[in-house]
Amino acid sequence: MMRDATIAEAVPDEGMNPALAGGPASADSAEAATASGLALETQLQRLAPISLDEINAQARLMTRVDRKYFLPRGLFIDLLAATRDDFRVLEIGGKHRFEYRTTYFDTPDFRFYRDHVQERRHRFKVRTRTYVDTGTCHLEVKSKGYRGQTVKERIAHPLESPLTLTPGDREFIDSVLDGAPAQAGRSSADRIGSAGRSASTGHSASARARLRAADLEPVVETVYDRITLCHADQRLTCDLDIRAVHGDEQHVGPSDVLVETKSPGGGGIWDGLLKQVGVRPHKVSKYCVSAALLYPQLPSNPWERTIRRYFR
């Protein structure tokens, strides 16, 4: 068991990347980053590996509650050590850390973003996600429904065109937004959330003008490295070195690790450990924070504190 003091001592007063706060990184900070990277890889090597097929079979169909935390890398490494007998780490070709590039689509007036700001009970994200290391890409439609449940549906997408929606993409998106039954070619294995779309998204409750895939355009790209951990029906995604990109503009995120816990009731192993030492979840969306940084005219009140502390 990890001592509570070990966790608490790893939490700094601020989460800002020192290189962002104080100009160019010093030699000392570069050495510290190298040492941190080695310590992280050492801990990952001590975890039992799990394959992509295994992790999908184990956790893909769960109805989940997601909680997000910003963790200093020292604390993150300590937690890996404390729970190494509980969690397995995704390993592909001997690697544990994988580059993700995600393009988010929204309307010209940012309807998906504004739905999130207004905390509408039924809201969506549409994105292409490129798994750089494995050379694959998917189109994903993510829905938030009753009781905070998340449902994600996806189809394969051409690797060479992450910024473009194909006719098949548009048909798929429209079917999800309309709440239509699963179509041919959309296997149940590509659904996350057993509650079902019609129950979890409640499209009939909305009297607003119907949104169509033809209304969407690429607005934000996020780039980061991801480590994935799994235990029974719990999954952790751990994102490092986050960047928000649009055209030539770029914002670099914190040195902290953005950890998202995914468990049936929101009470996973890491949630319990972090609660013991007073580390609370953050209300954060990589898409919304990135859009707020890249489009300063957008309302950003729900994430302003997070943006000030971690992204500026």
Side-chain angles (χ1 to χ4, degrees):
M1 281 293 294
M2 179 188 293
R3 295 181 301 111
D4 288 350
T6 303
I7 302 176
E9 288 162 4
V11 183
D13 291 334
E14 293 294 334
M16 177 65 73
N17 185 333
L20 297 179
S26 66
D28 288 345
S29 65
E31 289 176 5
T34 300
S36 175
L38 291 172
L40 173 57
E41 184 55 35
T42 296
Q43 289 301 333
L44 293 174
Q45 291 286 353
R46 291 174 177 171
L47 271 64
I50 185 171
S51 70
L52 186 59
D53 288 342
E54 287 179 295
I55 207 169
N56 284 338
Q58 190 173 103
R60 183 184 290 273
L61 292 176
M62 71 181 182
T63 300
R64 71 194 195 200
V65 175
D66 302 343
R67 291 178 177 169
K68 299 177 182 178
Y69 305 85
F70 281 107
L71 303 184
R73 296 202 186 197
L75 173 58
F76 178 67
I77 292 169
D78 282 347
L79 284 168
L80 287 174
T83 59
R84 63 172 173 255
D85 293 332
D86 299 300
F87 283 89
R88 300 168 69 188
V89 62
L90 175 64
E91 180 177 292
I92 302 174
K95 294 185 62 174
H96 304 116
R97 181 169 166 167
F98 307 97
E99 183 179 348
Y100 283 46
R101 304 185 73 95
T102 304
T103 300
Y104 290 90
F105 293 78
D106 210 331
T107 63
D109 63 349
F110 287 86
R111 177 158 155 185
F112 290 155
Y113 176 93
R114 295 179 189 278
D115 283 351
H116 205 119
V117 172
Q118 296 166 12
E119 296 186 334
R120 289 187 175 270
R121 294 182 67 188
H122 312 118
R123 55 185 186 263
F124 300 89
K125 289 177 185 171
V126 174
R127 65 197 186 193
T128 59
R129 172 160 286 175
T130 302
Y131 304 86
V132 175
D133 296 275
T134 58
T136 56
C137 185
H138 287 88
L139 170 74
E140 300 179 346
V141 182
K142 198 172 181 180
S143 311
K144 180 72 75 171
Y146 292 110
R147 297 181 298 277
Q149 295 172 351
T150 300
V151 177
K152 182 169 72 177
E153 300 186 70
R154 70 181 190 176
I155 58 174
H157 182 83
L159 179 64
E160 66 278 5
S161 56
L163 303 179
T164 303
L165 296 177
T166 68
D169 291 339
R170 290 192 287 271
E171 181 181 357
F172 170 74
I173 293 167
D174 286 339
S175 75
V176 176
L177 297 181
D178 289 343
Q183 303 295 318
R186 288 166 53 194
S187 116
S188 60
D190 280 337
R191 302 189 61 181
I192 294 180
S194 59
R197 185 170 61 248
S198 59
S200 63
T201 57
H203 302 284
S204 61
S206 175
R208 297 186 300 164
R210 179 177 295 176
L211 186 64
R212 313 306 298 169
D215 302 322
L216 303 178
E217 59 187 33
V219 294
V220 165
E221 183 180 24
T222 60
V223 184
Y224 51 90
D225 287 351
R226 171 165 288 186
I227 297 164
T228 301
L229 308 173
C230 196
H231 167 79
D233 55 0
Q234 300 174 37
R235 186 185 293 192
L236 304 178
T237 57
C238 314
D239 297 339
L240 306 92
D241 301 331
I242 301 169
R243 289 181 287 140
V245 181
H246 180 67
D248 295 330
E249 187 174 358
Q250 174 175 284
H251 288 267
V252 179
S255 60
D256 298 60
V257 183
L258 178 57
V259 174
E260 185 170 357
T261 65
K262 309 167 194 286
S263 59
I269 294 172
W270 278 39
D271 297 289
L273 285 172
L274 291 169
K275 184 177 181 180
Q276 287 176 20
V277 294
V279 178
R280 298 290 182 256
H282 272 267
K283 183 177 183 180
V284 61
S285 156
K286 285 193 292 293
Y287 167 54
C288 291
V289 166
S290 298
L293 288 166
L294 294 164
Y295 301 89
Q297 74 275 17
L298 292 174
S300 60
N301 288 347
W303 308 285
E304 194 57 42
R305 184 173 178 272
T306 296
I307 289 170
R308 285 200 310 270
R309 182 171 179 181
Y310 293 102
F311 289 86
R312 285 180 178 156

